[in-house]
Amino acid sequence: MCKVQLKNARLRPFVLFMALFLMNVSWAFAQLTVTGNVQSTTGEPLIGVNVVEKGTTNGTVTDLDGNYTLRVAKGKTLVFSYIGFLSQEIVVNNAKVNVTLKEDTETLDEVVVIGYGSMARKDVTSSITTVKADQLNVGVFSDAASMLQGKVAGLSITTSGDPNGSPSITLRGASSLRTGQAMQPYYVIDGIPGVDISMVAPDDIESIDVLRDATATAIYGSKAANGVIIINTKKGKHGAERTNVSYSGYVAFDNILNTLDMATADDLRAYYSQKGEEPKNDLGANTNWQDEVLRTAISHNHNLSINGGAGKTTYMASLNYQDREGVIKGSSMDRLNVRSLVTTKVLKDRLEISAGVNARYGKAIGVPMNNEGASVLDAMNYFSPGLPVRNEDGSWSKALTGSKSYNPLSLIYEDTSETIYKNTQLLGKASLEIIEGLKWNVNYSFTNNQSTYSAYDTHNTQLEGVSAYNGQARRNTYFGHEHIFETYGNYDTTFNDIHKLSLMVGYSWEEKMSNDGFGLTVHDFYDDMLKWNQLTYASTIDGIPAVESGTKETIRNISFYGRASYSFNSKYMIQATIRRDGSSVFGKNNQWGTFPSVSVAWNITEEEFMKNQNLFDNLKFRLGYGVSGNALGFGAYTAVETYGASGFFNYNGKQWRTLAATKNANPDLKWETTGMFNVGLDYGLFNGRLNGTIEYYYKKTNDLIWNYPVSTNIYPFGDIAANVGEITNKGIEVSINAVPVQTKDFTWNTTVTLSHNKNTVNRLSNDKYEVGVFTQGDPMVAGVSSEGYTQRIIEGQPLGTFFTYEFAGFNDNNEATYYVRDENTGERTGETTTTPGYKDRAITGCAQPKLNFGWNNTFNYKNWNATVFFTGVFGNDIYNGTRANYMSPEMLSGGKNVLKEFLEHPTTSGSLPSDRFIESGSYLRLSTLSIGYTFKNFNGWLQNLQLYVTCNNLFTITSYKGLDPEVNMGGIDPGVDYRWSAYPHTRTTMVGLKINF
């Protein structure tokens, strides 16, 4: 028995070896060395095609001749994939597998959303850029428009670090002298025009289409001169097997990008000691006020969405909550967005009906950002570092000398305000397929708006004129609503397989009520416990002047519009649109306007002579001209004569209001009209691995509106709104999309956008209305009591033209000198002066950039992904109003702080507006660096999970000496750095999570 066991023990290693040997032999015989060639339908070999065994990492790529070799088991499936071609799967049955890949026409067949419809990308004749959700910027954004910065050529976006701020947006140059809404694009959200973009949470966006030229925007008529941005939100999908639930969220940490190098208390003491003087506003402290005011801001965002479909019904609902702190203590924002939509089909699927409810509730908490020293952004720099934060008794320290000097912490905690806004939108849609190809659509939207502003200055406020009020509360509330009804039909047909015809006709009706509200100001409270929450506790209201009221106004718009598109064999395309708009905001003689457009396109690659070439996959030439208008930013009483309260008079022992004219009527007032000529070339090369567009445009805006002075002997008021001016913009835009590297596991996609725009103000006056001098951009520098403006709007020059004195250095008395110019010729005389006059001003710079730049890179390696995104602005000037003020000797004489730079070379003057403070605003910024990892194949209730880390504004290359070169480029005074309102930009670190259940 023992011998048998011993014999068996000796056999075991041999048996195990033979078993393993047989397994390896069988595996070797099961494996095949598969070879083959991959080519296109034209017979060209395809280089770099991914050949992967399905469900594994076993793979290879084709060589220069399109050949490949791969060992794979018989019966397994090979997946062949290549950019620009449709993927193909083949089961391995023998050792030779040749493959012909078909071109993927998805890019050309991609549906592009246009006004009141959609069409295939290959049939588009106008300039439209589509940015999908995964291409949008990632960051802490309060406004979805910020996600487009650097993504669309010609779209200039200036962001702000203010959690309650909005970006400044300009498309193809400024084309109005009116600011605010009049310079912004027109937003269309899910087919509903004129919707506030803040109604959409960034996480709910599916894609954004930017209509850039007038042939695309003219269909929106009198509101489209600044371009149209169409936002498409995520919706439920048919054919879903189950309800899809997804969550995305992040936590973010913001820190200021840069701080000013202000003098310390010791610096000031040494300076005054050299002069033999006692330092001003010095109680022995050494306070860094920037450190006291600034903080690491923590923000978080959460988005939960549900969507799905069953049978003929689809549904979606989303809930988004954002809580965002500002880097300035006391500033914050929190907002809740809710969206829902249910869609179903009836009448044998011919009628599709949708109903939805969208809502927004938010609170914005701000800090004082007024001029004249009453801004936290200003006070944290100018307030004396020799003063402590608090006195020994716990009160805020105060300036011992000087005026309009406020402890920044006092401004934050004693002068508080908040705005609560509520918006609710109800919408219904219906689409009926009458016959094949003919659909009639009806959309209706009702939006209700309410905002309530509250502010309180405590007993301890330091604000001049308010500190004696023993607590002051201000509160107002305003209401509004908007009805939008649109009905339009689309007819699409193709005959003889080569003739494609699309027709659209529609009608629109809008009614908007706004400015219905009131407010009041009261003061003298016993304490500050309830602030603005119980106004009847106040002891004093200063009569009627303490009451504010809006003037309720209603605006109505009616429109008729149509479009016709024809395509011959997808080779030659033509499109024409026309819109007839009527608006109640304009003069009775000009309440209707017509806005036409026509565009053509030629798909060169569809020509027979291009069929045998292998370089271009797509080459399309576009040409168009259109007219659009600008009726945004007008009130119901813009063109009519109005009167307002102007004072009091006594009658029968009682005081009565006096009324006086506040505006003249102009029955001829009409909208500003923009005509735009556009030439474009779309291209695609190397099987889609390189594609892009090149655009040239010429844009002229006529009938610019401005308030012109008139004689009060003829008119009841001293100025009148009239259409006079003319402005042009012309430029070139380039976008490049490429896939420089593609292997089995690694792909690099890169996109570059370049744009150049030249802006010119052609005319400001005519025979009837004439203006003297348009001066802009006063940074309110200390010691400059009058004529502090830095810019002038000049015929023949662009908006943002700096018109200042020319700095000539300092004389022996350390006084600033400026070049003298001849009053008649305007040329320099060769002399200098310390007291320049108006005649000595000259054009000294321009805020308009010569180039806007965006460069996005995405990298994918297996389950890893990364994004590197650069933005840049080049060739522009900035007036550094911040430096001009903190380099002023009058700051020290008023007991305030200055830049350390000033103490190193103190002067007795030099604060006048001059090119001394005009600096290059060019910069290159690493805007986004993001890396993420996706966990897949959970085979359960979890589909996938992505973790990512994103950093925004990592570094900036610039020579600008201010806080940040990204200053406001909108309005009619672009490029002026205002110290009291320029909320600092931040460097952000985000940690995020996305889960699909």
Side-chain angles (χ1 to χ4, degrees):
M1 185 70 177
C2 182
K3 291 181 179 179
V4 172
Q5 290 178 346
L6 180 60
K7 185 178 181 181
N8 289 339
R10 290 174 178 174
L11 286 173
R12 283 173 188 167
F14 176 76
V15 172
L16 180 60
F17 171 78
M18 290 300 296
L20 291 174
F21 174 77
L22 291 174
M23 288 176 61
N24 280 310
V25 168
S26 63
W27 177 83
F29 279 104
Q31 289 280 313
L32 292 176
T33 301
V34 180
T35 62
N37 180 267
V38 183
Q39 62 181 11
S40 68
T41 54
T42 61
E44 292 296 317
L46 296 179
I47 307 166
V49 176
N50 286 324
V51 185
V52 181
E53 181 183 346
K54 188 174 182 179
T56 72
T57 59
N58 179 34
T60 185
V61 294
T62 58
D63 61 19
L64 295 174
D65 298 317
N67 297 320
Y68 73 93
T69 301
L70 182 68
R71 290 187 62 80
V72 63
K74 189 174 182 179
K76 295 296 183 179
T77 300
L78 292 182
V79 179
F80 298 81
S81 60
Y82 191 56
I83 286 181
F85 290 81
L86 296 173
S87 296
Q88 190 171 340
E89 296 185 5
I90 295 179
V91 176
V92 175
N93 291 316
N94 51 63
K96 190 73 173 180
V97 179
N98 293 325
V99 177
T100 299
L101 293 183
K102 296 180 180 179
E103 292 186 18
D104 183 3
T105 60
E106 181 181 356
T107 301
L108 295 179
D109 292 337
E110 174 191 8
V111 174
V112 178
V113 177
I114 58 177
Y116 307 105
S118 60
M119 64 170 55
R121 170 73 67 182
K122 65 181 178 182
D123 294 328
V124 171
T125 59
S126 51
S127 181
I128 301 175
T129 298
T130 300
V131 184
K132 296 184 178 180
D134 59 355
Q135 299 169 329
L136 294 168
N137 292 330
V138 178
V140 182
F141 301 122
S142 304
D143 191 306
S146 300
M147 303 168 70
L148 287 171
Q149 186 180 32
K151 298 295 185 178
V152 180
L155 187 66
S156 176
I157 299 178
T158 304
T159 61
S160 168
D162 188 352
N164 301 307
S166 298
S168 170
I169 305 176
T170 304
L171 181 62
R172 293 187 165 181
S175 54
S176 180
L177 297 178
R178 299 174 298 117
T179 58
Q181 189 182 12
M183 281 195 170
Q184 299 293 308
Y186 188 55
Y187 293 101
V188 179
I189 300 177
D190 289 334
I192 305 299
V195 180
D196 187 342
I197 192 175
S198 60
M199 288 289 290
V200 180
D203 295 270
D204 288 336
I205 294 176
E206 181 76 29
S207 64
I208 299 178
D209 293 279
V210 181
L211 281 54
R212 297 190 290 167
D213 70 341
T215 62
T217 64
I219 197 65
Y220 288 103
S222 63
K223 301 174 184 177
N226 297 318
V228 177
I229 295 179
I230 300 178
I231 297 177
N232 311 292
T233 63
K234 298 173 182 177
K235 301 174 181 65
K237 297 181 180 179
H238 286 285
E241 297 179 356
R242 59 187 178 83
T243 298
N244 297 305
V245 180
S246 62
Y247 166 82
S248 62
Y250 64 75
V251 60
F253 306 89
D254 284 291
N255 289 283
I256 192 171
L257 274 179
N258 194 13
T259 57
L260 296 178
D261 190 14
M262 304 301 295
T264 66
D266 290 338
D267 293 331
L268 292 174
R269 290 169 190 143
Y271 170 79
Y272 281 110
S273 176
Q274 283 185 333
K275 297 181 64 176
E277 300 176 6
E278 288 294 322
K280 300 177 180 179
N281 286 328
D282 193 341
L283 293 178
N286 199 343
T287 307
N288 186 321
W289 290 106
Q290 293 181 94
D291 287 348
E292 296 294 334
V293 168
L294 298 169
R295 66 181 174 187
T296 296
I298 302 176
S299 304
H300 56 97
N301 181 87
H302 309 274
N303 192 89
L304 180 66
S305 65
I306 302 173
N307 68 78
K312 300 178 180 180
T313 302
T314 64
Y315 54 88
M316 68 79 58
S318 70
L319 182 70
N320 180 271
Y321 176 73
Q322 183 179 38
D323 188 327
R324 182 180 179 186
E325 288 185 342
V327 292
I328 303 294
K329 292 178 181 177
S331 61
S332 64
M333 179 276 288
D334 64 271
R335 183 177 67 200
L336 178 69
N337 285 74
V338 179
R339 297 187 67 81
S340 63
L341 184 71
V342 177
T343 301
T344 190
K345 291 185 176 182
V346 296
L347 299 180
K348 296 183 178 180
D349 295 346
R350 285 187 173 272
L351 177 62
E352 184 176 84
I353 303 174
S354 301
V357 178
N358 304 319
R360 177 185 71 144
Y361 175 87
K363 179 190 292 185
I365 299 177
V367 296
M369 293 171 59
N370 305 308
N371 53 25
E372 299 289 344
S375 169
V376 175
L377 307 179
D378 192 12
M380 71 176 183
N381 296 312
Y382 74 65
F383 202 63
S384 173
L387 296 171
V389 175
R390 292 182 182 270
N391 299 314
E392 292 183 359
D393 61 1
S395 62
W396 303 110
S397 65
K398 295 182 180 180
L400 307 176
T401 184
S403 62
K404 302 187 185 305
S405 183
Y406 309 113
N407 184 320
L409 275 299
S410 169
L411 291 174
I412 291 173
Y413 294 106
E414 308 300 338
D415 304 285
T416 57
S417 66
E418 72 173 29
T419 301
I420 294 176
Y421 42 88
K422 303 174 184 176
N423 312 89
T424 304
Q425 181 190 47
L426 307 176
L427 62 88
K429 299 182 178 182
S431 179
L432 175 64
E433 185 179 14
I434 301 173
I435 60 174
E436 184 178 355
L438 176 60
K439 284 189 177 182
W440 197 265
N441 306 276
V442 177
N443 296 341
Y444 172 74
S445 169
F446 172 77
T447 305
N448 187 67
N449 305 306
Q450 178 185 350
S451 67
T452 301
Y453 171 79
S454 306
Y456 189 77
D457 305 294
T458 73
H459 288 70
N460 299 319
T461 181
Q462 296 182 2
L463 292 175
E464 295 180 15
V466 182
S467 56
Y469 279 165
N470 300 312
Q472 174 179 266
R474 289 156 289 161
R475 201 166 201 192
N476 62 55
T477 185
Y478 285 86
F479 304 88
H481 64 256
E482 185 171 4
H483 299 269
I484 299 176
F485 171 80
E486 291 192 308
T487 180
Y488 58 94
N490 284 296
Y491 178 67
D492 298 285
T493 185
T494 301
F495 48 95
N496 294 335
D497 294 329
I498 59 174
H499 301 282
K500 185 184 295 183
L501 179 66
S502 298
L503 301 174
M504 185 275 291
V505 63
Y507 166 81
S508 175
W509 175 86
E510 299 178 28
E511 180 180 273
K512 182 178 182 180
M513 188 278 289
S514 62
N515 208 30
D516 180 16
F518 59 91
L520 53 84
T521 302
V522 296
H523 55 89
D524 289 331
F525 289 83
Y526 288 110
D527 56 46
D528 302 317
M529 290 296 294
L530 296 180
K531 299 168 65 176
W532 55 71
N533 294 302
Q534 180 47 273
L535 300 184
T536 62
Y537 283 8
S539 302
T540 306
I541 180 171
D542 295 330
I544 289 298
V547 179
E548 68 170 276
S549 177
T551 302
K552 181 179 177 180
E553 54 186 81
T554 301
I555 297 173
R556 293 185 180 90
N557 298 291
I558 296 175
S559 305
F560 302 90
Y561 46 86
R563 177 176 57 231
S565 302
Y566 170 74
S567 170
F568 174 74
N569 204 23
S570 293
K571 185 185 302 183
Y572 311 114
M573 287 79 68
I574 184 170
Q575 177 177 286
T577 70
I578 189 167
R579 182 165 178 134
R580 179 74 171 166
D581 274 349
S583 177
S584 64
V585 302
F586 293 99
K588 60 182 180 180
N589 298 333
N590 281 309
Q591 291 191 326
W592 287 89
T594 303
F595 305 93
S597 78
V598 63
S599 56
V600 295
W602 174 27
N603 265 331
I604 304 173
T605 44
E606 294 297 321
E607 295 288 354
E608 288 299 323
F609 64 81
M610 293 289 287
K611 294 298 184 181
N612 295 323
Q613 60 83 36
N614 300 310
L615 177 62
F616 289 99
D617 310 304
N618 174 44
L619 189 63
K620 182 168 69 174
F621 177 76
R622 293 179 282 104
L623 182 70
Y625 178 80
V627 178
S628 53
N630 188 355
L632 299 178
F634 289 95
Y637 310 111
T638 301
V640 300
E641 187 174 313
T642 58
Y643 289 81
S646 61
F648 294 89
F649 71 97
N650 288 314
Y651 179 73
N652 288 337
K654 186 176 181 179
Q655 280 197 329
W656 296 82
R657 270 292 194 183
T658 58
L659 299 179
T662 56
K663 185 164 52 63
N664 291 315
N666 185 353
D668 296 320
L669 189 69
K670 60 182 179 181
W671 35 60
E672 299 164 337
T673 302
T674 298
M676 187 188 302
F677 171 76
N678 192 92
V679 180
L681 183 69
D682 303 330
Y683 61 88
L685 301 91
F686 312 125
N687 299 320
R689 294 188 65 165
L690 177 64
N691 61 80
T693 63
I694 302 172
E695 307 266 353
Y696 169 80
Y697 61 88
Y698 180 83
K699 170 181 168 185
K700 178 186 284 188
T701 304
N702 297 299
D703 304 319
L704 294 180
I705 296 174
W706 189 260
N707 289 328
Y708 289 85
V710 291
S711 172
T712 52
N713 293 326
I714 303 174
Y715 294 90
F717 194 65
D719 61 57
I720 188 172
N723 301 95
V724 176
E726 179 184 288
I727 192 170
T728 59
N729 291 274
K730 56 184 178 181
I732 297 175
E733 299 165 350
V734 177
S735 64
I736 303 170
N737 308 294
V739 186
V741 179
Q742 182 188 35
T743 65
K744 178 172 67 72
D745 296 321
F746 177 75
T747 304
W748 169 28
N749 292 272
T750 186
T751 300
V752 177
T753 61
L754 303 165
S755 60
H756 164 75
N757 179 77
K758 183 179 181 181
N759 174 273
T760 306
V761 178
N762 297 330
R763 186 175 68 247
L764 295 171
S765 303
N766 60 17
D767 295 338
K768 187 175 181 180
Y769 300 108
E770 184 175 353
V771 68
V773 176
F774 281 79
T775 58
Q776 307 292 332
D778 186 353
M780 302 184 69
V781 172
V784 183
S785 58
S786 63
E787 301 295 320
Y789 66 89
T790 61
Q791 292 183 352
R792 180 177 171 185
I793 302 178
I794 305 171
E795 290 185 352
Q797 298 295 328
L799 290 174
T801 296
F802 292 108
F803 194 73
T804 69
Y805 303 117
E806 297 171 291
F807 182 65
F810 294 95
N811 61 19
D812 294 338
N813 296 323
N814 222 12
E815 297 174 301
T817 63
Y818 304 89
Y819 289 108
V820 175
R821 286 185 171 264
D822 186 90
E823 188 171 7
N824 297 317
T825 65
E827 299 295 328
R828 286 187 187 179
T829 64
E831 302 172 288
T832 61
T833 180
T834 59
T835 56
Y838 174 77
K839 68 178 182 63
D840 299 315
R841 285 185 180 250
I843 295 175
T844 50
C846 180
Q848 298 287 342
K850 291 182 172 60
L851 180 68
N852 284 280
F853 168 79
W855 181 26
N856 188 65
N857 298 274
T858 58
F859 305 92
N860 292 280
Y861 176 72
K862 294 185 177 179
N863 289 351
W864 292 91
N865 65 278
T867 299
V868 182
F869 178 49
F870 293 89
T871 58
V873 176
F874 306 96
N876 61 307
D877 294 320
I878 298 175
Y879 194 89
N880 194 338
T882 299
R883 183 165 171 260
N885 188 70
Y886 300 142
M887 289 285 285
S888 171
E890 281 78 5
M891 293 293 288
L892 284 180
S893 63
K896 298 180 180 179
N897 201 6
V898 293
L899 287 166
K900 190 175 294 187
E901 177 187 356
F902 177 84
L903 299 184
E904 296 170 354
H905 303 284
T907 61
T908 58
S909 63
S911 303
L912 292 176
S914 73
D915 55 1
R916 177 188 178 196
F917 301 108
I918 295 178
E919 303 177 23
S920 170
S922 300
Y923 70 87
L924 177 66
R925 169 171 289 163
L926 178 53
S927 292
T928 304
L929 178 61
S930 181
I931 187 169
Y933 186 84
T934 302
F935 298 89
K936 301 178 181 179
N937 301 321
F938 287 92
N939 295 322
W941 56 275
L942 196 62
Q943 290 186 16
N944 56 64
L945 180 151
Q946 183 187 43
L947 293 173
Y948 67 92
V949 178
T950 298
C951 296
N952 297 121
N953 302 331
L954 269 76
F955 66 80
T956 304
I957 302 173
T958 183
S959 63
Y960 183 61
K961 296 180 180 179
L963 280 176
D964 192 86
E966 190 179 340
V967 301
N968 191 347
M969 297 301 293
I972 57 177
D973 58 344
V976 179
D977 194 348
Y978 297 106
R979 66 189 182 282
W980 63 85
S981 60
Y983 198 102
H985 285 82
T986 60
R987 180 176 292 109
T988 305
T989 302
M990 295 173 59
V991 179
L993 169 70
K994 295 180 181 180
I995 306 176
N996 291 313
F997 295 96

